[in-house]
DNA sequence: TAAATAATCTAACACTGTTAAGCAAAGTTA
DNA sequence: TAACTTTGCTTAACAGTGTTAGATTATTTA
């Protein structure tokens, strides 16, 4: 009787173990090192066993993504509960989002498709720099002389870059949003930041 | 005499062909489908030949990244040349950046490590939605009633998300920037957008 | 104890990046 | 012209990947 429950509990446990082993491997060696055989090794089984719990590797990644979103939602609820003013709440929520991204870096990566793969973007090659410098210089030019410190230019530069790159990569990973909305957000952000500079 | 030059030119040509074949494959089937053997097939050689032009697969990706930055820099110079007012120039530069990202989607992906790998973020699962809704609702709450249209909330929501996600993913791929600067940009952006809402 | 079922593993397939060995044509030298 | 060297390219292999089918072992049931 109860043995059935025990078995079910055990099955559930190895399912959890698979996920835990996966995230552990990723934390140790990065996403590109995650393989079915390595997971199997860690849970002391052979690879085909995993397919009785997940239909394929993507299913594991999907489940980790789901767990990531659940965790994030919980953190946001906490953030809300710690303030009463809505504006403060919103700010705390975004801060929670930010902190989550770095506290659970690996989860954030699989949730939002950041880097994961290839070449590590090591590229500090000169060509990478050119574009940056062009933008940086132009921003510096616009900022009135009395405000023009390196720090200030840096801040504005990163703000620009973040909003534009963010909008782009959000659009690339989930392609739902309308072009109208994108252009709107983009224009708003650009003109907003520009006007804030002077 | 001249035959040496011809041969060198041919060598250069197959180098170019390798890069062209690579980007063609990626455009047809995505980054995860890019393999050495497929490239070799396309240039009508066998795989080991590629290693006489590039030390490994990463080197190909690096070269494509470099080419991407060169292209982007050129587009930005054009953007500058088409305006005289610095603010307009800067705006045109960011628009050029934006347009480049979608015109040369594959290059942008390898340049900035967007998605590339895995599971395509298909995830329209409910858990994904929860976080979004929490933020969306809170934003809606803050916006004064007279401005509160769905479009307006959407715009603000995406602006928020873009700047935060952008800042995060920039930090994850190139980990140079200081925490000070990050917090500064983040706080500035959040409070800036919040104050712009009401 | 024997049959049936569940749990697990081995072996294999078709791929991946990468390297070493070999072949055949071309160029160089005697 | 004959022998030698270099070049261009291929085949074969290694170790790894995700995934599946079949065999094997262990457990439960009759």
């Amino acid at each position: 009787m109860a043995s059935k429950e025990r078995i079910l509990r055990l099955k559930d446990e190895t399912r959890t173990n698979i996920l835990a082993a996966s995230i552990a491997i990723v934390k140790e060696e990065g996403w590109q090192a995650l393989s079915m055989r390595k997971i199997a090794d860690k849970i002391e089984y052979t690879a085909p066993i995993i397919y009785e719990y997940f239909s394929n590797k993507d299913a594991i990644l999907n489940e980790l993504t789901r767990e990531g979103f659940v965790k994030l939602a919980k953190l946001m609820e906490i953030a809300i509960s710690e303030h009463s003013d809505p504006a403060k709440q919103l700010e705390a929520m975004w801060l929670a989002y930010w902190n989550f991204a770095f506290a659970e870096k690996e989860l954030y990566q699989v949730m939002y498709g950041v880097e994961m793969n290839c070449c590590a973007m090591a590229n500090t090659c000169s060509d990478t720099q050119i574009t940056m410098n062009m933008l940086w210089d132009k921003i510096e030019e616009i900022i009135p002389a009395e405000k023009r410190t390196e720090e200030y230019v840096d801040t504005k530069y990163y703000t620009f870059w973040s909003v534009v790159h963010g909008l782009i990569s959000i659009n690339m990973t989930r392609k739902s949003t309308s072009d109208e909305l994108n252009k709107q957000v983009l224009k708003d952000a650009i003109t907003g930041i520009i006007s804030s500079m002077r």
Side-chain angles (χ1 to χ4, degrees), chain A:
Chain A
M1 292 301 129
S3 79
K4 292 226 164 148
E5 281 175 38
R6 199 200 74 235
I7 285 168
L8 273 181
R9 210 166 50 235
L10 274 180
K11 283 212 82 167
D12 231 55
E13 212 172 289
T14 70
R15 205 191 115 95
T16 315
N17 286 345
I18 290 170
L19 295 169
S22 303
I23 199 70
I25 292 165
V26 172
K27 278 183 179 164
E28 285 159 22
E29 311 176 60
W31 281 105
Q32 92 235 116
L34 182 65
S35 81
M36 299 303 261
R37 284 174 179 84
K38 238 177 225 167
I39 298 171
D41 254 32
K42 205 142 208 163
I43 60 169
E44 295 180 299
Y45 277 110
T46 50
I49 285 296
I50 303 174
Y51 290 85
E52 302 203 347
Y53 299 89
F54 297 94
S55 63
N56 52 34
K57 194 183 176 184
D58 265 15
I60 297 176
L61 300 186
N62 264 309
E63 180 55 24
L64 289 175
T65 304
R66 232 207 74 248
E67 285 188 1
F69 277 107
V70 170
K71 274 192 186 181
L72 179 54
K74 276 182 191 152
L75 290 171
M76 289 214 168
E77 259 154 32
I78 293 172
I80 290 180
S81 75
E82 282 171 347
H83 296 83
S84 51
D85 174 44
K88 288 264 175 215
Q89 285 176 329
L90 184 59
E91 193 183 324
M93 285 162 85
W94 283 117
L95 273 173
Y97 184 104
W98 170 269
N99 288 326
F100 169 81
F102 293 98
E104 305 277 4
K105 185 182 162 187
E106 294 77 16
L107 286 184
Y108 191 88
Q109 285 174 335
V110 70
M111 286 161 72
Y112 292 102
V114 182
E115 212 236 327
M116 313 264 313
N117 203 353
C118 112
C119 66
M121 270 285 290
N123 260 300
T124 324
C125 80
S126 61
D127 294 295
T128 318
Q129 231 67 16
I130 295 174
T131 321
M132 308 207 156
N133 289 342
M134 289 173 67
L135 291 163
W136 207 93
D137 292 347
K138 188 54 70 182
I139 291 168
E140 192 184 24
E141 189 184 335
I142 292 173
I143 295 172
E146 67 270 18
K147 287 187 184 176
R148 199 185 297 143
T149 66
E150 194 175 332
E151 257 180 300
Y152 192 76
V153 181
D154 263 356
T155 309
K156 291 303 171 185
Y157 168 63
Y158 271 98
T159 309
F160 262 124
W161 190 15
S162 297
V163 67
V164 178
H165 172 67
L167 198 54
I168 287 168
S169 60
I170 285 169
N171 269 277
M172 281 192 178
T173 46
R174 30 169 74 76
K175 61 178 81 214
S176 50
T177 45
S178 75
D179 280 359
E180 283 300 310
L181 181 57
N182 286 329
K183 286 273 173 189
Q184 186 62 32
V185 173
L186 186 65
K187 278 240 165 190
D188 265 23
I190 292 175
T191 53
I193 301 172
I194 289 181
S195 73
S196 84
M197 290 188 323
R198 41 185 180 189

